[in-house]
């Protein structure tokens, strides 16, 4: 029997309902898959950015740590330099004080005569020449002439040779010099500087390591002692 219009309409509605249901289910499946893929991609991107942020943080942390080390090293070096400068200033003050006291040596005439004799004799033994010229302070000329003979006697007793000694009468050591002599030969080309200032510098150079240890203690970084 042919279908009535009502049956046709009913079947059409049934088919449309089925299609709608299929469409809705398909749409829900697509939405669920899209949500899943979105969450996966979002998680991947979040993890990727987290890793980047952590890498950036680690780099900055290393930079900060490096800057701290550099700053600490600079501060430590500055502190060491200040300590070294303070030590050098102290040694300089000690040297300046010793130099200022040199002039007191000449106030004791007997001791100064003995010192001059020793300085002249030492120069004669170093030069071992037949003729020498002694340069001294103008105020010491007569004293040097006197003690040079005793120094010459010491030299003769040991070397068994004579030396012609001339005391300079026109060229003198500076008036503010603490004292001592310069003994020259061969027209001044060879000389022994035995002024008190020079002797102080010599002693300073020899005793400097010992003075440092006495005042500042043993230096653990020192490798050479000769």
């Amino acid at each position: 029997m042919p279908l009535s219009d009502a049956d046709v309409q009913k079947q059409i509605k049934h088919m449309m309902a089925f299609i709608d249901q299929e469409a809705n289910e398909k749409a829900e499946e697509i939405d669920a898959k899209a949500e899943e893929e979105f969450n996966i991609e979002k998680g991947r991107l979040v993890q990727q950015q987290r890793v980047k942020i952590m890498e950036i943080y680690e780099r900055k942390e290393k930079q900060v740590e490096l800057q701290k080390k550099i700053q600490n090293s600079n501060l430590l070096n500055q502190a060491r330099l200040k300590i070294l400068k303070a030590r050098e200033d102290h040694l300089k003050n000690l040297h300046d004080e010793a130099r200022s006291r040199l002039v007191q040596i000449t106030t004791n005439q007997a001791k100064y005569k003995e010192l001059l004799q020793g300085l002249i004799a030492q120069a004669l033994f170093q030069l071992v020449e037949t003729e020498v010229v002694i340069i001294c302070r103008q105020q010491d000329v007569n004293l040097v002439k006197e003690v040079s003979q005793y120094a010459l006697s010491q030299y003769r007793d040991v070397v068994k040779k004579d030396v012609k000694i001339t005391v300079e009468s026109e060229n003198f050591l500076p008036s503010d010099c603490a004292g001592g002599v310069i003994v020259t030969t061969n027209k001044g080309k060879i000389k022994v500087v035995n002024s008190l200032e020079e002797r102080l510098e010599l002693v300073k150079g020899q005793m400097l390591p010992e003075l440092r240890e006495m005042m500042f203690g043993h230096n653990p970084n020192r490798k050479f002692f000769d």
Side-chain angles (χ1 to χ4, degrees):
M1 292 179 63
L3 296 175
S4 64
D5 290 341
D7 290 335
V8 172
Q9 290 296 327
K10 186 177 179 180
Q11 286 187 4
I12 290 173
K13 287 180 179 180
H14 181 72
M15 290 175 63
M16 289 177 63
F18 178 78
I19 292 171
D20 285 341
Q21 184 179 353
E22 286 289 323
N24 289 333
E25 288 177 356
K26 194 65 176 177
E28 288 176 359
E29 183 181 344
I30 293 171
D31 287 342
K33 188 175 182 180
E35 181 71 20
E36 182 182 0
E37 291 178 353
F38 169 76
N39 289 332
I40 292 173
E41 182 65 16
K42 182 177 72 172
R44 187 186 67 81
L45 291 174
V46 169
Q47 181 62 22
Q48 188 181 56
Q49 293 303 315
R50 182 184 290 115
V51 171
K52 286 184 178 179
I53 292 172
M54 289 178 66
E55 289 176 350
I56 292 172
Y57 176 78
E58 287 177 0
R59 285 200 300 269
K60 289 185 176 180
E61 191 176 39
K62 288 180 181 178
Q63 288 176 353
V64 170
E65 191 65 26
L66 181 60
Q67 289 298 323
K68 283 175 63 178
K69 288 181 179 179
I70 293 173
Q71 187 176 14
N72 288 339
S73 178
N74 289 337
L75 290 173
L76 184 61
N77 287 335
Q78 289 175 11
R80 286 173 178 167
L81 289 174
K82 286 182 180 179
I83 292 173
L84 290 175
K85 186 178 184 306
R87 289 181 176 182
E88 291 304 314
D89 288 345
H90 188 64
L91 288 171
K92 183 178 181 301
N93 292 336
L94 186 66
H95 176 262
D96 291 343
E97 182 178 352
R99 189 182 186 286
S100 67
R101 292 186 181 184
L102 284 179
V103 295
Q104 298 177 10
I105 296 176
T106 59
T107 59
N108 187 325
Q109 195 75 356
K111 286 187 176 181
Y112 187 49
K113 283 178 64 175
E114 183 180 355
L115 176 61
L116 281 176
Q117 181 179 332
L119 293 175
I120 294 170
Q122 183 191 59
L124 294 177
F125 284 116
Q126 285 183 270
L127 293 172
V128 193
E129 294 287 340
T130 56
E131 294 185 19
V132 298
V133 176
I134 299 177
I135 302 172
C136 61
R137 299 187 306 177
Q138 188 171 8
Q139 60 266 41
D140 291 339
V141 170
N142 292 331
L143 188 59
V144 168
K145 286 181 179 179
E146 178 184 347
V147 300
S148 62
Q149 297 307 310
Y150 296 105
L152 177 58
S153 178
Q154 287 180 270
Y155 178 79
R156 284 196 195 114
D157 290 342
V158 176
V159 182
K160 308 304 181 183
K161 291 183 180 180
D162 202 3
V163 182
K164 179 183 177 182
I165 297 177
T166 303
V167 179
E168 180 65 62
S169 59
E170 294 182 359
N171 183 28
F172 305 104
L173 293 179
S175 58
D176 58 350
C177 171
V181 295
I182 295 176
V183 183
T184 71
T185 187
N186 195 18
K187 297 182 180 181
K189 292 181 181 179
I190 304 173
K191 62 183 177 181
V192 175
V193 182
N194 267 350
S195 65
L196 296 188
E197 285 87 354
E198 186 65 24
R199 298 299 299 183
L200 176 62
E201 290 298 325
L202 180 63
V203 171
K204 174 189 171 184
Q206 293 173 343
M207 292 190 63
L208 192 57
E210 183 180 347
L211 288 173
R212 289 182 187 278
E213 187 165 342
M214 287 172 57
M215 291 189 291
F216 311 125
H218 174 68
N219 182 2
N221 297 320
R222 186 179 178 192
K223 297 181 180 179
F224 304 102
F225 296 88
D226 296 335

